[in-house]
Amino acid sequence: MSSANPTKGAKLQSSGPTRMQAFGSAFVSGGYTMYPVLLALVVLGAIVAPRFATSTNLINILEQVSVLGLTTIGLTFVVLIGRLDLSLEGVVGFAPMFAAVCLVPAAAGGFGIELPSWLGLFIALGVAGLIGVFNGFMVVRVGLNPFISTLGLLVLLRGGVLIVSNGRSIYSPGPALTYLGSAKLFGLPVSVLVFGLVALIVGLVFKYHRYGRALYAIGGNEDAARAAGINVDRVIWSAFVFAALLAGLAGVLMTGRLDSAVTTQGQGIIFSAFAAAVIGGVSLGGGRGTMVGLVSGVLLIGVINNLLTLAQVPSFYVQASTGAVIIIAAVLTTIASRRSSGVKTRT
Amino acid sequence: MENKRPIVEMRNISKTFGSTRALKGVDFTVMHGEVHALLGRNGAGKSTLVSTMSGLVASDTGTIRIADTEVVANGQPYAAKIRDDIAHVQQTPQLFNLLTVAENLFLENPSVQKRFGLVSHNRMRTQARALLEKWNMDIRAEALAGELGAGTRQLLEIMKALSRGVPVIILDEPTAALSNAEKHLLFEQVKALKALGISFIYISHHLDEVFEVADTVTILRDGLVVKEREAVGNLNVELIADLMMGEKTARSVRSDHTRYDAPALLRAIGVGIYPVAELGVDFQVQPGEIVALAGPVGGGKEALAMMLAGQLTPYKGKITGADGSLPTIGLVPTDRHASGYVGMLGVRENVAIGGLDLLSGRLGFINREKEASHVGHLATQTNVIASSLEQAVSQLSGGNQQKVVFARALCHNPQVVVALSPTRGVDVGAKEQLYALLRDLASKGLGVVVVSDEEDEIAQLANRVVIVFEGKLVAELRGDYTMKDLILRMEGVI
Ligand SMILES: Nc1ncnc2c1ncn2[C@@H]1O[C@H](COP(=O)(O)OP(=O)(O)OP(=O)(O)O)[C@@H](O)[C@H]1O
Ligand SMILES: [Mg+2]
């Protein structure tokens, strides 16, 4: 008569189907659901498009998804606690643009303050962090619904990009801002390394750090987390800050890759980020989701986009097919998680 | 009349959840106009059995007949077939917080439906008012359910079931959140309906209630029937407890470890429990002391406890610890479903969130070994029964969920435990184990504040009882008080 002590009934059960079930639910809850699909797509791609399975192309895919990946990781911070942050899309565009106009001379479209170039990265992340602080303030202190407050901020930031840049893109904003998105290290783009490193660290934090535990607890039952002594307000606030910082970093990578801060930068990325998160098994209701799954969602979107382009699907169709694939993938994840968790919750 | 034929007949019911066999071929029969108590320890399968009866959970095998409806179960849902024959008040609250009292009461009730599926709000409100009046309840029909207290919500749920006009009603631990007054209200209604031939299945861990309302008793243990349809008259509390637990349970008595000479662990100085109270209250907890806060619902005992636990800010005055800094506090909140556990997380994670900083090393990463051993130890101490420490708490039986909440409160090695209705839904054996645990902790110098409505619980635990009424501390019992003193004091203010 103690914990973790299966009742007699449990022992009587033959272990065959049970072990399979246990494996199935561990597979799904660990976030591995989409990997077989991903693998199938890669094999399919290698067969139909000879150019697909080259290392250049695969690295190219990774480089393309790193921006989306960082944004999705950021988004997951707030989604895990049962909130959302639409303004991340605005941050991807605004943070690097603001940094760029601080750096370049007035003639190139800057403010004319021409701050030293090494400050670029710090300005971009600083701006992003401040936006996160603002979002946290609105949600925690003012008590706004994050959908509305971050939607408003998204629109505001889009306008803000046009205001600070006078509606013109800014070219060559300086090495500090573009290094991460353009340089290569050990034959790999630095942006891919950044994405990998962030995914690794944040993944460990989600799984093994007390901060991660607090995120899941708050997403699962906020009042219970409070009663357990977790400083819920502080965690919520900081989740918004982390989200914005990661979106800012994503923006910097994008600017680096293009060697310019473009006025339309990041537009539409929040939809892909939500899609990647959901495909990866992150529950929009909060409390559920893993880094392993999230990364599979990001990769899946990247591979599909790449395949459609390689297969020379007319670009109008690319977008529509991506949407269709997102729906299919989401259905798959949902079915898998329902299957694995079996019966509904009860008394 | 057809009263000879049972109204409910269930044969060979079994249910397996993953690796747990919750029911292993159970027969269950209910007669017309009978109150049938279904008893058993935590996790015995009571809630599962009644859920297969109402179709909330589909039985894997067997047959179910309610009134004239027969179902052959094979794991497929059948709730729709029998929903007009049975009402089920579940252990977990099922009210819609954002709907009004009237809407909650008459949701789906044919008596307020008009043509084209429209709902008559007028009829709904008048009927709701009549019903509230019948139950002597002083709340508005337009109030939102989410704003009400736990007891009132529970009553609403019961009223809703009782007013549906069905012949069989399941009450799964209906009194867990009720005060004594509310309890008696419920019993009156149950008896009145029983006289009309309505049958009840009644689940409770308060055995005294069984003798008050039930006619027949069936006892489950580990998914099997160990006593079928025994008349209440042939049983007594000890016998039932032994049958439930499968072993002897001895009732323990309180012991006093209060260290009067030591500085108080936790102190309330001039604390205003209500916004309007002109005089604040003073209260303190000594090391080793178990204090009970008692008194009527809404009298302020829960508010005071939540202030002591640091979850509510006092309207005035302050809460301090021995040397000016607050002690670490472990909290068992009143409503485990609302603020006790995180359903989708496992037992291990639920217990661990009570002491994350204690379990994590430098850099804040959780020390997995320490976590496993600490949580495992607490789960054993509180007698949590689960298929593994990874099982989601939403899948545990009600009493085991409560034990998880209890374990979580102890996870931080607190200096003071504030426990509101700590053994709600816990079976008689596990209750004794939790009491022993609290006494043991007290003997090591921990301070305990218990908020409870149960005289037995208080008498078994508390070295000091403080009655809170209208935001004031109106009476106090110390040391060798008798049960009679206690009951007099507790009822004296109502
Ligand atoms: N959805 C589920 N998934 C897995 N196991 C479950 C589920 N529901 C119940 N169980 C298991 O079935 C067993 C019986 O649970 P049940 O809720 O019927 O107990 P109970 O007799 O009502 O106990 P209590 O007095 O604590 O409410 C328990 O071991 C429980 O863990
Ligand atoms: Mg139960």
Side-chain angles (χ1 to χ4, degrees), chain B residues 198-273:
Chain B
I198 310 266
S199 310
F200 288 87
I201 293 98
Y202 189 92
I203 301 180
S204 178
H205 289 291
H206 294 291
L207 302 183
D208 47 333
E209 293 171 13
V210 171
F211 291 92
E212 189 164 348
V213 288
D215 308 303
T216 323
V217 174
T218 291
I219 301 178
L220 287 180
R221 194 195 311 147
D222 287 344
L224 289 170
V225 175
V226 291
K227 195 89 197 163
E228 199 182 353
R229 295 198 55 80
E230 187 69 52
V232 197
N234 301 340
L235 295 164
N236 60 40
V237 172
E238 284 74 37
L239 205 58
I240 293 180
D242 295 347
L243 281 168
M244 275 171 60
M245 307 305 298
E247 65 195 8
K248 277 259 167 257
T249 23
R251 244 184 83 112
S252 59
V253 289
R254 63 175 180 265
S255 54
D256 197 342
H257 305 283
T258 312
R259 298 180 195 168
Y260 293 100
D261 46 350
L265 277 176
L266 188 61
R267 229 178 233 289
I269 303 169
V271 159
I273 300 179

Side-chain angles (χ1 to χ4, degrees), chain B residues 99-103 125 128-129 132 139-145 147:
Chain B
L99 294 186
T100 63
V101 168
E103 284 165 333
R125 264 196 300 274
R129 286 208 194 95
L132 289 170
I139 52 173
R140 290 180 311 120
E142 293 81 11
L144 291 185
E147 299 166 353

Side-chain angles (χ1 to χ4, degrees), chain A residues 346, chain B residues 17 22 42-48 91 205 391 395 397-399:
Chain A
R346 39 155 298 124
Chain B
F17 296 107
N42 295 133
K46 305 179 296 295
S47 297
T48 309
Q91 202 169 355
H205 289 291
Q391 187 174 14
Q395 298 179 351
S397 79

Side-chain angles (χ1 to χ4, degrees), chain A residues 17 35 40 42 51-52 63-64 67 73 96-97 106 110-111 161 172 219 232 234 245 250 253-254 278 322-323 334 341:
Chain A
Y35 284 94
V42 169
R51 267 169 44 226
F52 176 79
E63 187 173 3
Q64 275 171 359
V67 173
I73 296 176
M97 178 60 89
F111 283 155
V161 167
S172 303
V232 172
R234 197 164 69 193
L245 280 175
L253 294 193
M254 203 168 201
V278 171
T322 315
T334 312
S341 60

Side-chain angles (χ1 to χ4, degrees), chain B residues 270-318:
Chain B
V271 159
I273 300 179
Y274 292 146
V276 288
E278 63 261 40
L279 265 184
V281 304
D282 296 317
F283 178 84
Q284 63 179 46
V285 189
Q286 294 297 127
E289 184 179 37
I290 303 183
V291 201
L293 299 179
V297 174
K301 60 181 192 295
E302 300 195 335
L304 176 58
M306 291 305 266
M307 288 169 187
L308 287 169
Q311 298 275 323
L312 263 184
T313 320
Y315 292 99
K316 62 175 172 217
K318 62 172 184 175

Side-chain angles (χ1 to χ4, degrees), chain B residues 51-347:
Chain B
S51 299
T52 61
M53 186 183 309
S54 66
L56 219 60
V57 166
S59 171
D60 294 337
T61 61
T63 55
I64 297 162
R65 183 183 62 75
I66 302 174
D68 295 324
T69 317
E70 261 207 80
V71 176
V72 178
N74 56 4
Q76 297 304 312
Y78 48 77
K81 279 194 210 160
I82 50 179
R83 66 176 306 269
D84 292 334
D85 297 317
I86 192 158
H88 184 172
V89 177
Q90 285 174 255
Q91 202 169 355
T92 22
Q94 307 286 333
L95 289 182
F96 296 94
N97 284 342
L98 294 179
L99 294 186
T100 63
V101 168
E103 284 165 333
N104 265 297
L105 284 173
F106 288 97
L107 193 82
E108 294 279 289
N109 191 317
S111 69
V112 297
Q113 278 162 12
K114 297 194 292 193
R115 266 183 307 166
F116 311 123
L118 294 179
V119 171
S120 160
H121 278 264
N122 271 336
R123 236 183 291 164
M124 186 145 97
R125 264 196 300 274
T126 28
Q127 293 196 21
R129 286 208 194 95
L131 196 60
L132 289 170
E133 192 147 324
K134 181 170 149 203
W135 280 76
N136 247 330
M137 285 174 68
D138 189 21
I139 52 173
R140 290 180 311 120
E142 293 81 11
L144 291 185
E147 299 166 353
L148 305 172
T152 320
R153 291 162 56 87
Q154 179 73 54
L155 270 188
L156 278 183
E157 216 150 338
I158 296 170
M159 288 163 64
K160 175 177 158 189
L162 267 50
S163 62
R164 266 187 54 204
V166 293
V168 184
I169 298 168
I170 299 167
L171 301 174
D172 192 347
E173 293 190 35
T175 54
L178 298 189
S179 67
N180 283 335
E182 290 166 328
K183 228 182 258 186
H184 287 110
L185 212 63
L186 167 65
F187 293 161
E188 271 167 41
Q189 299 290 331
V190 167
K191 284 174 187 159
L193 285 171
K194 180 177 118 174
L196 298 176
I198 310 266
S199 310
F200 288 87
I201 293 98
Y202 189 92
I203 301 180
S204 178
H205 289 291
H206 294 291
L207 302 183
D208 47 333
E209 293 171 13
V210 171
F211 291 92
E212 189 164 348
V213 288
D215 308 303
T216 323
V217 174
T218 291
I219 301 178
L220 287 180
R221 194 195 311 147
D222 287 344
L224 289 170
V225 175
V226 291
K227 195 89 197 163
E228 199 182 353
R229 295 198 55 80
E230 187 69 52
V232 197
N234 301 340
L235 295 164
N236 60 40
V237 172
E238 284 74 37
L239 205 58
I240 293 180
D242 295 347
L243 281 168
M244 275 171 60
M245 307 305 298
E247 65 195 8
K248 277 259 167 257
T249 23
R251 244 184 83 112
S252 59
V253 289
R254 63 175 180 265
S255 54
D256 197 342
H257 305 283
T258 312
R259 298 180 195 168
Y260 293 100
D261 46 350
L265 277 176
L266 188 61
R267 229 178 233 289
I269 303 169
V271 159
I273 300 179
Y274 292 146
V276 288
E278 63 261 40
L279 265 184
V281 304
D282 296 317
F283 178 84
Q284 63 179 46
V285 189
Q286 294 297 127
E289 184 179 37
I290 303 183
V291 201
L293 299 179
V297 174
K301 60 181 192 295
E302 300 195 335
L304 176 58
M306 291 305 266
M307 288 169 187
L308 287 169
Q311 298 275 323
L312 263 184
T313 320
Y315 292 99
K316 62 175 172 217
K318 62 172 184 175
I319 309 277
T320 62
D323 45 8
S325 67
L326 282 172
T328 39
I329 293 178
L331 172 69
V332 180
T334 341
D335 186 348
R336 66 167 172 268
H337 307 293
S339 53
Y341 60 88
V342 185
M344 57 175 89
L345 296 182
V347 176

